[in-house]
Structures are given as structure tokens and as C-alpha cells.
Amino acid sequence: MLLIQCPWCGRRDESEFSYGGEADIARPENPDALNDAQWADYLFMRSNRKGHNREIWNHQHGCRRWFVAERDTVSYEIQATFPMGGQEQDS
Amino acid sequence: MEKYSALKLIRHALESNRKWPRAWRRPEPAKQYDAVVVGGGGHGLATAYYLASQHGMRRIAVLEKGWIGGGNTGRNTTIVRSNYLWTEASLLYEKSLQLWETLSQELNYNIMFSQRGVYNLGHTLQDMRDIERRVAANRLNGIDAEVVSPEQIKAAIPIINTSRTARYPILGASLQRRAGVARHDAVAWAFARAADALGVDIIEQCEVRGIDCEGGRVTGLQTSRGSIATGRVGLVVAGHASVVADMAGLRLPLESHPLQAFVSEPLRPLLDTVVMSNAVHGYASQSDKGELVIGAGIDAYNGYGQRGSFHTIEHAMQAMVELFPCFSRVRMLRLWGGIVDVSPDACPIIGKTPIEGLYLNCGWGTGGFKATPGSGWVLAHTMAHDDPHELNAPFGLDRFTTGALIDEHGAAAVAH
């Protein structure tokens, strides 16, 4: 089980969190202007990185807030967690 | 290839089993091939075998980074079934199941395919409605399926807890009698041996590090054992599909997750069928060695580490003890993880890519083992004709652009 540093609540068990997938995927500002391939890229295509990864988690059974984690997808080590759009904090 | 038979067993036994020949050669990679399959798991080996046996292609190589049978082919819970909801999916898995039925004879290798039936349990009224719908859909597609009552389940599986007071009482199940299990790594060995006998070069310990493309078509591969020129490449690398496709600049709609399974100490025969439960999420069968083979769900996070979190297996174990109270003091012997590439609609991606001569076979998620022969069958057709087989035409990468998804996520029996 991972120990995850929630930026607001501190270090908690993984079972309190839910995983939100790849970070930094912004909804297109004007979806009507996109063609099908661009929309498919936003909706479905993922980087699925091996190694260093930026991803979002939700502290579902805690403060219920979303945050960003930097985690290695091979060693599973969490290098840092910080609020959405915020500054890096020690993990 | 030495043909295996009872007579051969006796003869080799008399020679103290010292003179068995290698099951497949260990060739050096050639400079050029007509087709290269990247990934020496069951699906990749089946693809190479059918390319040679059905499409008369020669000069085929299978490149495997590790060793044959060391990846997901040897890491799954060996369940084979075809009771999917949607027509596209059920026809593909049914083709595979039909190939399984004669595979031992065709490959001259005992893959221990045992059609012991698979029960998919329902625990809520909605489960039962879904089961009845799926069974009806299966029958319309010519696939054997039936709905069974808790009494019938109890009669067939005496150790299961069908008490009405259980936390998640069993209200019924779907049963596919032709479904079952197979010896997983024997499937890889059998396909490797049969493909090798048809001249396929199986090259182990050969990692692909680059895909050469020129003018929108594939021209070769860079590997840890030199460059290989080829005009046709099939990527059949399961959990690492995104990583390898990225070498050709392709983005895929996949997320790789750890999926864990475990086996118990050997027990006397007590479970002669396969039981799967979607609602409490766990599935179990008993191997011929007597071990209970139990599978968990995927871990939530993306991962390539071939291991997952403890609470995931604890959850699966809780489900098992709930279903089979007599398992509560059984000790688990081994636990392992594999990396599964999950697609948005829980269906595989098999077909052409925007790069000419580059073909994909990925996205099988948690349920690829059952499709091993069928997957190879349709990818071999696609690679040989540069056009998909009618069974895999709906499974192209372009479905994520057109929106024609085949949503088996909630609808299939899910756990694999």
C-alpha cells in the first residue's frame, strides 16, 4: 500500500485516495472548433509514461480535494505532491 | 520438430529423458524478415504461427525482450470463455474459444484445455438482469450460455456459500459450460514450438529500441541485437504497448496497470469449475496441481512495476472467503503481478495504424489470455492482407475517433 502525502491532511494510506490519472489534461476551451481526431486525443489518448509521471489523486475519504503527485510508475515512489496548480511541497 | 506422442514418452523415459530435443531453435536474428512480431507472448507467437500456417508467409521473426512464457502469458489466471455482451466482442472471443477446442491436436502439445465451465455470479437484482440480458445476447450469437439458480449452483459447487443471510447473497449466475481453463505457459511453448517448426525465428532476449519509418511506412527495427529490416511489424507487447508505439510517434488510448493474482498451497480436489464474481470482485479455480488460483482486480494507479498494493489482494481475498468460507484458513503460496494495458472501452485494439506496415494488437486489459489463439488468427490475417479480418475490423484504433466504441466495461462479466 502506498503512503501518500495529501497536501492538506498529511501522510495517509492509499486506500483513502482515488486515482485520477494523467495530470495536465486541460479541457479544450472551444470543443466545437476541434475535429474528431483532436477531440479523440483529448478524450482518450494518454501518454501512459513509464518512469516519472505527473498524475492527479483525490483524497476521497479525507478532505476530498484533488492534488497533483509526481510518482515513478516503475518503482512507485512518490517524489512530490502539491495542490492543483500550486507549489511543490515535501512529500 | 519431434512429434510428441505416448510412444515417444515411453521411449524417452527408457533413455532417462536425456535425449529430448529443444522445443524450438535459438537462432541469431537475420538482417531482414518479411514480417516481424514484437512480443513473444502467447498472442505474438500465435500471430507468427498463423502467419506461417494460414498465410504461407516465410521469413518471420518473433522478438522477445525476456524469455518465452515469462510475461503475462505466464502470469494470468488461465480462464477461457466467450460470454461477452456485444456481438463484436463475443464473436471474436468465440472464434478464439473454437480454436482452443482443437489447439492441443493442432499444435501437437497438451495445453491441458479443460472445459470445466465458468460461473459468473449475480449478487443483486441488477446483476441478475444484466446476466439474463447477456445470456440472451450470447444465445442469439450462437454461444452456449444459461442462467442458473442458487440451488443449481449449490448442487454443482457444494463448498460455495449460497446462504440468504450472506453480506452479498448469491441470487444466481450465468454458466458457460464450454468455458474453462488451460495451462497458460504451455500455450506459449506450444505456439513457439509449432511456429518454429514452420521456420519462424523466435529470438529471445532481444529488446526493440527503435522503429524505423520512412515516408509514412515502417522499414525496420533497432534492437538490442542489431538492426532488422522489415516492411511489416506487429506490435503485440501488452503492458508496454504505449512505450513501444511511442517509438513510432503513436499515441494510444491505453493506461497500464498492475494486475495481481495468487495461488494457495495445494489442496485436494474441491473446486472443479471456475467461479467469478463481478460484484465482490474475485475469481477462482483449482489447478491440476491442487492450488487455488485466485485473481484480484487491477490496482487503481498506472504502473509498470509488476507488483501492486496489498489492499487490492486483501479485497479479492475477502470476496473469496465470503464465497467460500472453507478457504478462510488456506495459506497463500505465491503472489505476482502483471502489467495490463487497459483501453477506454475494455476491448482490444487490433488493426492497422496511420503508419503503413505497422500493426497493433494491444489493449486486452485484464482478459487477454482467453483470446490468445483468436487474437493471433486475426492479427495474422491483418498483417498478411494489410486489411483487417471481419472479426477484428470493429476493433481498429480509429474507433476512438469515430466514436464506435464497443463498451464491454460494465456489460461484460468484467473480472477475467
Side-chain angles (χ1 to χ4, degrees):
Chain A
M1 174 131 39
L2 303 179
L3 276 175
I4 301 173
Q5 177 87 14
C6 171
W8 291 279
C9 310
R11 195 176 291 256
R12 301 291 182 89
D13 283 349
E14 178 196 338
S15 51
E16 293 187 14
F17 297 84
S18 66
Y19 183 66
E22 190 174 325
D24 311 318
I25 298 175
R27 186 181 168 86
E29 298 233 336
N30 185 6
D32 290 342
L34 301 186
N35 62 30
D36 287 352
Q38 290 166 325
W39 184 244
D41 193 78
Y42 158 69
L43 213 52
F44 296 123
M45 301 300 164
R46 295 292 178 264
S47 301
N48 198 17
R49 290 186 192 89
K50 183 177 184 179
H52 181 76
N53 193 37
R54 276 171 60 84
E55 55 198 24
I56 53 174
W57 289 79
N58 182 266
H59 193 187
Q60 196 176 24
H61 300 293
C63 63
R64 302 179 64 187
R65 283 198 269 192
W66 288 95
F67 61 94
V68 177
E70 294 195 349
R71 188 178 61 95
D72 188 298
T73 57
V74 179
S75 70
Y76 302 163
E77 185 195 354
I78 297 172
Q79 288 127 353
T81 58
F82 39 91
M84 301 286 282
Q87 292 298 307
E88 193 170 320
Q89 294 184 348
D90 293 337
S91 60
Chain B
M1 179 175 91
E2 183 181 53
K3 194 168 162 56
Y4 293 161
S5 65
L7 210 60
K8 282 280 166 59
L9 270 181
I10 295 166
R11 184 185 300 166
H12 280 286
L14 293 174
E15 295 166 347
S16 304
N17 288 318
R18 280 183 305 228
K19 295 184 180 167
W20 286 106
R22 293 192 66 88
W24 57 88
R25 295 167 295 131
R26 190 161 282 183
E28 283 300 311
K31 291 276 169 243
Q32 191 269 331
Y33 287 100
D34 294 342
V36 175
V37 177
V38 181
H43 290 228
L45 294 163
T47 304
Y49 170 73
Y50 290 123
L51 273 172
S53 70
Q54 299 297 314
H55 304 284
M57 284 185 75
R58 293 293 176 261
R59 302 187 54 75
I60 302 165
V62 176
L63 308 184
E64 167 56 44
K65 176 180 164 185
W67 67 95
I68 299 301
N72 287 357
T73 306
R75 290 171 182 269
N76 59 78
T77 48
T78 81
I79 299 167
V80 175
R81 60 185 180 87
S82 65
N83 55 351
Y84 279 67
L85 176 69
W86 298 106
T87 298
E88 295 88 344
S90 57
L91 292 184
L92 178 63
Y93 290 106
E94 177 60 18
K95 169 67 184 175
S96 195
L97 180 51
Q98 288 170 8
L99 290 169
W100 279 111
E101 286 174 328
T102 54
L103 205 57
S104 284
Q105 289 80 3
E106 178 174 352
L107 302 179
N108 178 231
Y109 203 111
N110 185 7
I111 57 163
M112 296 163 70
F113 182 50
S114 163
Q115 292 177 290
R116 57 182 66 182
V118 169
Y119 289 82
N120 292 103
L121 303 177
H123 300 265
T124 63
L125 280 177
Q126 188 57 44
D127 277 359
M128 291 314 297
R129 290 185 195 114
D130 290 341
I131 283 172
E132 288 187 17
R133 179 186 178 202
R134 180 160 49 77
V135 164
N138 289 158
R139 288 183 168 192
L140 287 172
N141 282 322
I143 294 167
D144 75 301
E146 55 198 279
V147 179
V148 290
S149 67
E151 293 73 30
Q152 288 170 295
I153 297 169
K154 186 72 180 172
I157 313 163
I159 58 169
I160 203 165
N161 178 16
T162 51
S163 156
R164 303 290 294 177
T165 58
R167 176 68 182 84
Y168 300 103
I170 293 168
L171 302 185
S174 72
L175 167 61
Q176 184 179 23
R177 293 185 192 273
R178 285 166 60 242
V181 293
R183 170 80 195 274
H184 50 4
D185 35 20
V187 176
W189 299 334
F191 271 119
R193 174 169 166 272
D196 176 83
L198 294 171
V200 173
D201 281 356
I202 294 164
I203 301 159
E204 295 171 75
Q205 317 243 296
C206 179
E207 179 183 355
V208 169
R209 292 177 177 166
I211 299 173
D212 301 331
C213 300
E214 253 180 56
R217 62 168 299 126
V218 75
T219 56
L221 295 165
Q222 299 299 324
T223 79
S224 57
R225 296 176 65 175
S227 350
I228 295 173
T230 182
R232 290 174 211 223
V233 174
L235 299 183
V236 197
V237 292
H240 279 70
S242 300
V243 176
V244 181
D246 184 53
M247 295 174 190
L250 277 182
R251 260 164 77 77
L252 299 179
L254 297 176
E255 296 202 322
S256 295
H257 292 266
L259 176 66
Q260 301 180 88
F262 36 104
V263 295
S264 73
E265 58 191 332
L267 306 172
R268 290 190 176 192
L270 83 169
L271 182 62
D272 64 356
T273 184
V274 183
V275 177
M276 311 176 70
S277 172
N278 190 358
V280 296
H281 215 297
Y283 36 108
S285 63
Q286 190 173 21
S287 76
D288 291 348
K289 283 189 287 184
E291 301 161 327
L292 296 170
V293 183
I294 297 172
I298 58 170
D299 278 80
Y301 48 78
N302 286 21
Y304 287 89
Q306 291 192 329
R307 64 193 185 287
S309 290
F310 182 74
H311 66 96
T312 307
I313 54 173
E314 191 177 28
H315 180 65
M317 213 58 243
Q318 284 166 347
M320 281 303 112
V321 174
E322 166 88 10
L323 295 175
F324 302 102
C326 68
F327 289 0
S328 65
R329 284 188 288 174
V330 173
R331 284 162 294 197
M332 293 297 138
L333 274 193
R334 297 193 305 280
L335 160 74
W336 65 92
I339 304 304
V340 297
D341 45 333
V342 177
S343 70
D345 57 358
C347 274
I349 300 165
I350 323 166
K352 300 169 72 167
T353 66
I355 297 163
E356 215 177 314
L358 186 66
Y359 306 90
L360 280 177
N361 187 348
C362 58
W364 289 94
T366 58
F369 177 72
K370 66 174 80 65
T372 303
S375 160
W377 182 274
V378 296
L379 181 63
H381 181 103
T382 308
M383 289 178 68
H385 295 89
D386 192 35
D387 202 32
H389 188 279
E390 60 179 1
L391 286 175
N392 68 310
F395 292 91
L397 184 60
D398 56 355
R399 75 176 185 269
F400 298 97
T401 310
T402 63
L405 303 188
I406 306 159
D407 183 12
E408 285 286 355
H409 247 309
V414 171
H416 295 81

